Amino acid sequence: MSNTERRRRHSGRTTLADVAREAGVSPITASRALRGERGVAAELADRVRQAAESLGYVPDPAARALASQRSHQVAILVPLLSNALFVDVLEAVQSTLWPHGYQTLIGVTHYRPDEEEQLLRTYLAHRPAGLLLTGFDRTEAARRLIGHVPCVHLMELARAPGVYCAGFSQQDAGEAITRHLLERGRRRIAFVAAQLDPRTMQRAEGYRRTLRQAGLYDPRLERLSPEPSSMRLGGELFAELLQQHPDCDAIFFCNDDLAQGGLLTALRQGVAVPGRVAVAGFNDLSGSDQMLPPLTTVRTPRRAMGEAAARMLLSLMRGETPATTALDLGFELTVREST
Amino acid sequence: MSNTERRRRHSGRTTLADVAREAGVSPITASRALRGERGVAAELADRVRQAAESLGYVPDPAARALASQRSHQVAILVPLLSNALFVDVLEAVQSTLWPHGYQTLIGVTHYRPDEEEQLLRTYLAHRPAGLLLTGFDRTEAARRLIGHVPCVHLMELARAPGVYCAGFSQQDAGEAITRHLLERGRRRIAFVAAQLDPRTMQRAEGYRRTLRQAGLYDPRLERLSPEPSSMRLGGELFAELLQQHPDCDAIFFCNDDLAQGGLLTALRQGVAVPGRVAVAGFNDLSGSDQMLPPLTTVRTPRRAMGEAAARMLLSLMRGETPATTALDLGFELTVREST
DNA sequence: CTGTTAGCGCCTTCAG
DNA sequence: CTGAAGGCGCTAACAG
């Protein structure tokens, strides 16, 4: 038994070398052909592709990542999967990236910068081709970790140069809905929020700014709970608020699930909506159009953000410089009967 | 410039060799120490761990996967992320696997066997250490692809030997809720379903079996829609059913979102629940306890399934043989006021 | 445009 | 219990 024989560890998998042999070219030519690198004679490329096909060749991502120092994985970090918002963004991202041969590594941060940093550390070890992150608030360490990996931020708009993002102005959206309530003649407008993540607080800023301008801002009409958002919580805060402030005539909930809970509690307690109190939500989640009454809300461009961010990332990963660094996808006030 | 100099492609990353040098041992000893392989002197192992720590060493998963033919990734395929059910399962899986150093590759099949097969093909190229799949219905090709990769199936119970699964009997659950409606004195019990995936159809079987036994089965009281499940659809099917079968006195919806839509339509149309018609759902999703009236449903062991499946997979990946191949996590009838 | 050579970082195999 | 040698499969660098 020769020494080389003894040491073979071949895994049985079809390798590029097999394809190259079959096609009668060198491995590197096969590699170039299969990656679509230009500079391979069309005829050879065809032969290689056919050989690969007939042998059922599947490139080894690990070998590829090791040799080239880059993988075809894109890491995407979202706060939660229990908010339909992020699920829609994810779906759009995946269906945009998949046809280009990129897989996604989904990480859930639970709105915690330390978890995000940990995930980033782990995922960056895989040398992802790109990163998709939610928002801008993160640890300094996380920011350093990102380094020069192509990266697009979701859900917000930033002004910083060289920072790519696809989102919309949370503050403007908060302002739009507050303004709508004012236009409906409401004067004692409350704001109810949970989770209190940065985007929620930006909506709060839009709310405050608008009411201050109108001379109607009253901090006692804010209910900010750090708990996770839920229908139950929305119902509780609704009841509490109306009890403590019977003159409250409108409530802007920072998310539709809270608002839905509020509407159901209104039904349960016989509070007329919008007669006694108008109710507005945010995100236009599933079911909001089914409520009694149907919920006025802000339709956020979830799929558009996911797709735009993915496209931006694709061009960054190709080494191009996208025309815009901050893509504003806008939002749409969706007025229904609850206001 | 020497030949070796010229050819260096070093990535700048801290490697095992750096750690070994720092600790004054050979790379392989460092490797063994860091992987916790037994047979390394405690003192050396300590020195290695310290060196790794101080250098901020992070193992390269690609190199590791290439050399060892296995990664630390677990691929998990679920039908959808827009059903909270799967999100909860996922969360439980991730938090169980993470402490053991496994990352998850999440794939979404959209209930399509062909998409599942494609995802499997792609993810298996990454040599995942294990697989978590939803249910048992898949293409023959997919089954072959799985080969001998450690694999646990979620959501159902199988009888086949060597097939590992963590779930509960969908059919029994369908039976339990139907029986409950019978016990409440209902006789014209309808079944409303969407999506029509295998698990839904198993619940349908439980419903049919129970009603046949009671001599009350009437196929005209079944509404099976292939559309995706949603509150809107639930509302539509509710209205349609009551119009065509005014004598219908109970409805079993195959998922809570449909049932919630049904309840809201009942409110809108002034149909008394449970007076005129009792309504039951499935899965105990968020908000079902907030409905008017609160929804009777089946609480399914989502987190328990995720955790149990992950634990089972961990032992399979360690090369052990789990005591049970089919883990029945049960379910719980949650009776509220809608019945 | 194609091929040769060698190395990415780690781990398996064999030897001591 | 530790180490030396070399390969996993692919692609970068360089040469023709």
Side-chain angles (χ1 to χ4, degrees):
Chain A
M1 199 192 267
S2 87
N3 200 15
T4 45
E5 285 284 339
R6 213 155 81 233
R7 296 242 152 168
R8 281 244 166 280
R9 270 195 279 158
H10 189 72
S11 59
R13 141 176 228 148
T14 303
T15 73
L16 191 59
D18 299 329
V19 175
R21 202 174 312 117
E22 175 82 9
V25 297
S26 74
I28 186 62
T29 300
S31 169
R32 293 199 261 245
L34 291 176
R35 275 177 300 144
E37 208 179 74
R38 20 172 284 134
V40 179
E43 190 227 348
L44 281 193
D46 267 349
R47 245 165 51 211
V48 170
R49 270 191 295 272
Q50 267 174 28
E53 175 87 18
S54 78
L55 294 179
Y57 169 70
V58 181
D60 184 329
R64 194 170 254 192
L66 185 59
S68 68
Q69 305 286 12
R70 56 199 314 261
S71 73
H72 278 208
Q73 299 191 315
V74 167
I76 169 166
L77 303 186
V78 294
L80 283 180
L81 290 177
S82 48
N83 188 336
L85 172 67
F86 298 114
V87 168
D88 289 347
V89 170
L90 266 180
E91 276 277 339
V93 165
Q94 291 197 317
S95 56
T96 308
L97 293 180
W98 183 269
H100 293 264
Y102 290 100
Q103 284 98 53
T104 45
L105 284 174
I106 300 172
V108 180
T109 68
H110 304 101
Y111 286 109
R112 297 185 42 171
D114 56 330
E115 282 197 44
E116 189 193 44
E117 185 185 320
Q118 183 53 48
L119 283 165
L120 222 35
R121 226 176 271 285
T122 305
Y123 286 165
L124 282 174
H126 290 266
R127 307 177 186 285
L131 290 176
L132 288 167
L133 305 178
T134 305
F136 299 105
D137 59 311
R138 50 186 47 88
T139 65
E140 236 346 284
R143 252 182 281 267
R144 269 196 309 275
L145 282 171
I146 296 169
H148 291 97
V149 181
C151 177
V152 177
H153 304 76
L154 290 156
M155 306 290 303
E156 293 183 46
L157 298 176
R159 51 285 102 187
V163 174
Y164 296 93
C165 55
F168 63 96
S169 167
Q170 303 276 343
Q171 195 170 339
D172 288 358
E175 172 166 344
I177 206 148
T178 310
R179 192 172 301 287
H180 162 72
L181 292 169
L182 283 173
E183 284 163 3
R184 283 287 194 260
R186 308 294 164 154
R187 288 298 172 265
R188 297 287 292 161
I189 303 173
F191 177 70
V192 173
Q195 194 66 66
L196 310 187
D197 60 281
R199 263 106 27 225
T200 297
M201 297 318 288
Q202 288 165 36
R203 286 169 220 157
E205 259 324 302
Y207 157 84
R208 290 177 191 141
R209 187 175 64 188
T210 311
L211 288 190
R212 279 209 198 88
Q213 280 175 11
L216 292 170
Y217 179 60
D218 178 351
R220 290 168 306 174
L221 290 177
E222 286 187 2
R223 279 289 174 289
L224 305 180
S225 165
E227 275 186 61
S229 192
S230 73
M231 289 178 65
R232 184 194 47 69
L233 180 63
E236 286 170 16
L237 295 175
F238 175 90
E240 183 185 309
L241 192 60
L242 285 200
Q243 194 192 2
Q244 292 174 13
H245 298 279
D247 62 337
C248 167
D249 59 9
I251 306 179
F252 167 22
F253 288 91
C254 78
N255 199 42
D256 272 12
D257 56 355
L258 291 172
Q260 292 178 7
L263 285 178
L264 287 169
T265 294
L267 270 177
R268 198 176 298 122
Q269 302 190 341
V271 176
V273 174
R276 153 108 188 264
V277 60
V279 172
F282 202 93
N283 276 331
D284 196 19
L285 298 185
S286 154
S288 287
D289 57 339
Q290 300 296 307
M291 286 291 127
L292 259 74
L295 180 66
T296 290
T297 185
V298 168
R299 183 168 302 150
T300 50
R302 315 203 272 276
R303 299 199 59 86
M305 278 188 291
E307 190 180 323
R311 290 199 183 293
M312 230 167 170
L313 189 62
L314 281 169
S315 69
L316 283 173
M317 293 187 302
R318 277 191 296 261
E320 303 165 10
T321 305
T324 16
T325 64
L327 218 51
D328 186 350
L329 281 317
F331 55 86
E332 193 186 332
L333 188 63
T334 302
V335 179
R336 301 203 183 95
E337 283 122 72
S338 70
T339 54
Chain B
M1 200 191 265
S2 86
N3 199 14
T4 45
E5 285 284 337
R6 212 158 77 236
R7 295 240 151 171
R8 283 246 164 279
R9 268 197 279 160
H10 188 72
S11 58
R13 144 176 225 149
T14 303
T15 74
L16 193 57
D18 300 329
V19 175
R21 202 174 310 117
E22 175 81 9
V25 297
S26 73
I28 185 57
T29 299
S31 169
R32 292 200 262 244
L34 291 176
R35 273 177 301 142
E37 209 179 74
R38 19 171 284 136
V40 180
E43 191 227 347
L44 281 193
D46 266 350
R47 240 161 59 206
V48 170
R49 270 190 295 270
Q50 267 175 29
E53 174 85 18
S54 78
L55 295 178
Y57 168 70
V58 181
D60 184 330
R64 192 170 256 193
L66 184 58
S68 69
Q69 307 284 13
R70 56 198 314 258
S71 74
H72 277 208
Q73 298 191 316
V74 167
I76 170 165
L77 304 187
V78 294
L80 284 181
L81 291 178
S82 49
N83 188 336
L85 172 66
F86 297 113
V87 169
D88 289 346
V89 171
L90 267 181
E91 277 275 340
V93 166
Q94 291 196 317
S95 55
T96 308
L97 293 180
W98 182 269
H100 293 264
Y102 290 100
Q103 284 98 54
T104 45
L105 284 174
I106 300 171
V108 180
T109 67
H110 305 101
Y111 285 108
R112 296 185 43 171
D114 56 331
E115 282 198 42
E116 190 194 43
E117 185 185 320
Q118 183 52 50
L119 283 166
L120 221 37
R121 226 177 272 285
T122 305
Y123 285 164
L124 283 173
H126 289 266
R127 306 176 187 286
L131 290 176
L132 288 168
L133 305 178
T134 304
F136 298 106
D137 59 309
R138 51 185 45 87
T139 66
E140 237 345 285
R143 252 182 282 269
R144 267 197 307 276
L145 282 171
I146 295 170
H148 290 97
V149 181
C151 178
V152 176
H153 304 75
L154 290 156
M155 306 291 301
E156 292 184 46
L157 297 175
R159 51 283 104 189
V163 174
Y164 295 93
C165 56
F168 63 96
S169 167
Q170 303 276 343
Q171 195 170 339
D172 288 357
E175 172 168 344
I177 206 147
T178 311
R179 192 172 301 287
H180 163 73
L181 292 169
L182 283 173
E183 282 164 4
R184 284 284 195 260
R186 308 294 164 155
R187 288 299 172 264
R188 297 288 291 161
I189 303 173
F191 178 71
V192 172
Q195 194 66 67
L196 309 186
D197 59 281
R199 270 129 349 249
T200 296
M201 297 319 287
Q202 290 166 35
R203 284 170 222 158
E205 258 325 302
Y207 156 85
R208 289 177 191 140
R209 187 175 65 187
T210 310
L211 288 190
R212 280 210 197 88
Q213 280 174 12
L216 292 170
Y217 178 59
D218 179 352
R220 289 169 306 174
L221 290 177
E222 285 186 5
R223 280 289 173 290
L224 305 179
S225 166
E227 275 186 61
S229 193
S230 72
M231 289 179 64
R232 184 194 48 69
L233 180 63
E236 286 171 16
L237 294 175
F238 175 91
E240 184 185 308
L241 192 61
L242 285 199
Q243 193 191 4
Q244 293 175 12
H245 298 278
D247 63 338
C248 167
D249 59 9
I251 307 180
F252 167 23
F253 287 91
C254 79
N255 200 40
D256 272 13
D257 57 354
L258 292 172
Q260 292 178 8
L263 286 178
L264 288 169
T265 295
L267 270 177
R268 198 176 296 120
Q269 302 190 340
V271 177
V273 175
R276 153 109 189 263
V277 60
V279 171
F282 202 93
N283 277 330
D284 196 19
L285 298 184
S286 155
S288 288
D289 58 339
Q290 301 295 306
M291 286 291 126
L292 260 73
L295 180 66
T296 290
T297 184
V298 168
R299 183 170 302 146
T300 49
R302 315 204 273 276
R303 300 199 58 87
M305 280 188 291
E307 191 181 323
R311 290 200 182 292
M312 229 166 170
L313 188 62
L314 281 170
S315 68
L316 284 171
M317 294 188 301
R318 276 192 297 262
E320 303 165 10
T321 306
T324 14
T325 65
L327 219 51
D328 186 350
L329 281 316
F331 56 86
E332 193 185 331
L333 188 63
T334 302
V335 179
R336 301 204 183 94
E337 283 122 72
S338 69
T339 55

